[in-house]
Amino acid sequence: MQRFSKAYEVLGVEVGAPQDEVKRAFRKLAFKYHPDLNSSPKAHEMFLNVQKAYEIIVTAEKTFADIEEPVTPNWKSRDRDKQNITRAEAIRKARETAQRLDRIKLQKEAKHFAHFKKSIYYPWTIAMVHVSLIFFLLIAADAFLLTETHHGFVVDKVTNTSDILGSEMITGYTLKFNTGDMVEVSRGAGERMSKYSHVSFARSFIFNDIPRVYVVNKDLKEFVVDTFNKPPYLFFLLFLAVPLLLYYVDRPSAVFYAAGAFARYAVVIFIVSYMIF
């Protein structure tokens, strides 16, 4: 295999690398330099070099595999020699067919991806991925940047409602403290806090969020309430991280297009919901 080290070098893999690794490297470079996707003057030449290197490695690996197979010579039988030649010819044609099908598949995927890049969906997808990344980092940081610790007795609790599809629904509560502060909490958290309870909490620095509230009720029982008000929890971080798959998968692929569709629609819906609620 050392004789073909240059081919491995072109693909950027170590000599003797597994076939799956070689194929992944080939696909990555092929889409990078494919003429339909790269208008650089040197792209076509690089694409041909990558394609040639891949064919050399694949052919060499299959040839060495055939050589290693034990073959019992039979000098007396011309029919056996004829069968061996026929078998070798069949293997060669099968390799050529497989390589031709790989090239056709690659060409088809490249044209599809080129069409996708020219459409409005591609810039929209990339924009949403960057927005997702920004929110991912902000929410992660917001979990640790807590400021403005407040505490006091709840002197009043006001119900917040919204008209949703013609029905009035409770969306949260506004707590009024003896210190004059007013704090909005989610419905679930507000229902667990009653008037004359002593409450302490800390707001987050970026989103002005309240991750949790420490409560001592009028019966002097102490407990903690997770307000679930714009929470920096793992679910939301994973939700926003899905579009980032675009940077770690082959282009194009089912994962790429799925993550792209997710980025275009779900991230927008999430951010709007996040800002509203």
Side-chain angles (χ1 to χ4, degrees), residues 49 55 103 168-169 171:
N49 290 338
E55 291 177 358
R103 287 195 294 268
E168 195 172 77
M169 299 184 63
T171 57

Side-chain angles (χ1 to χ4, degrees), residues 101-245:
L101 292 177
D102 283 342
R103 287 195 294 268
I104 293 174
K105 182 180 179 182
L106 181 67
Q107 185 71 19
K108 183 178 180 180
E109 291 178 348
K111 288 185 178 297
H112 187 195
F113 187 59
H115 178 73
F116 173 67
K117 288 190 70 173
K118 293 177 182 178
S119 69
I120 187 62
Y121 297 109
Y122 185 76
W124 186 11
T125 295
I126 299 303
M128 288 301 97
V129 170
H130 287 95
V131 170
S132 172
L133 176 60
I134 292 172
F135 265 76
F136 180 91
L137 297 175
L138 288 178
I139 292 177
D142 201 44
F144 303 99
L145 300 177
L146 299 178
T147 59
E148 296 186 58
T149 301
H150 298 275
H151 57 84
F153 288 93
V154 178
V155 296
D156 196 9
K157 185 171 73 171
V158 179
T159 303
N160 300 330
T161 60
S162 295
D163 186 13
I164 301 177
L165 299 177
S167 300
E168 195 172 77
M169 299 184 63
I170 298 176
T171 57
Y173 294 90
T174 299
L175 305 179
K176 296 183 179 180
F177 294 91
N178 62 324
T179 58
D181 293 336
M182 299 179 64
V183 180
E184 292 186 4
V185 295
S186 63
R187 177 179 176 177
E191 289 175 348
R192 296 188 60 188
M193 290 180 279
S194 59
K195 291 175 62 175
Y196 310 118
S197 298
H198 184 273
V199 176
S200 60
F201 61 91
R203 292 183 182 276
S204 63
F205 178 74
I206 299 175
F207 293 108
N208 202 29
D209 189 20
I210 304 173
R212 57 182 53 86
V213 180
Y214 300 89
V215 182
V216 179
N217 63 19
K218 55 186 178 182
D219 297 326
L220 301 181
K221 292 183 178 180
E222 185 178 356
F223 56 93
V224 178
V225 177
D226 290 325
T227 62
F228 212 74
N229 181 25
K230 303 174 188 172
Y233 291 157
L234 180 62
F235 171 78
F236 292 94
L237 293 179
L238 291 176
F239 190 93
L240 284 174
V242 170
L244 302 183
L245 289 173

Side-chain angles (χ1 to χ4, degrees), residues 12-27:
V13 296
E14 296 182 358
V15 176
Q19 190 170 358
D20 290 343
E21 184 179 345
V22 172
K23 189 170 184 177
R24 284 196 299 270
F26 164 67
R27 281 180 57 85

Side-chain angles (χ1 to χ4, degrees), residues 42-57:
K42 296 183 178 180
H44 181 66
E45 182 180 355
M46 289 296 299
F47 175 76
L48 294 179
N49 290 338
V50 168
Q51 195 172 48
K52 186 65 176 178
Y54 178 68
E55 291 177 358
I56 289 174
I57 293 174

Side-chain angles (χ1 to χ4, degrees), residues 70-77 80-81 84:
V71 178
T72 304
N74 189 339
W75 306 102
K76 299 180 180 180
S77 176
R80 180 68 57 83
D81 292 340
N84 289 338

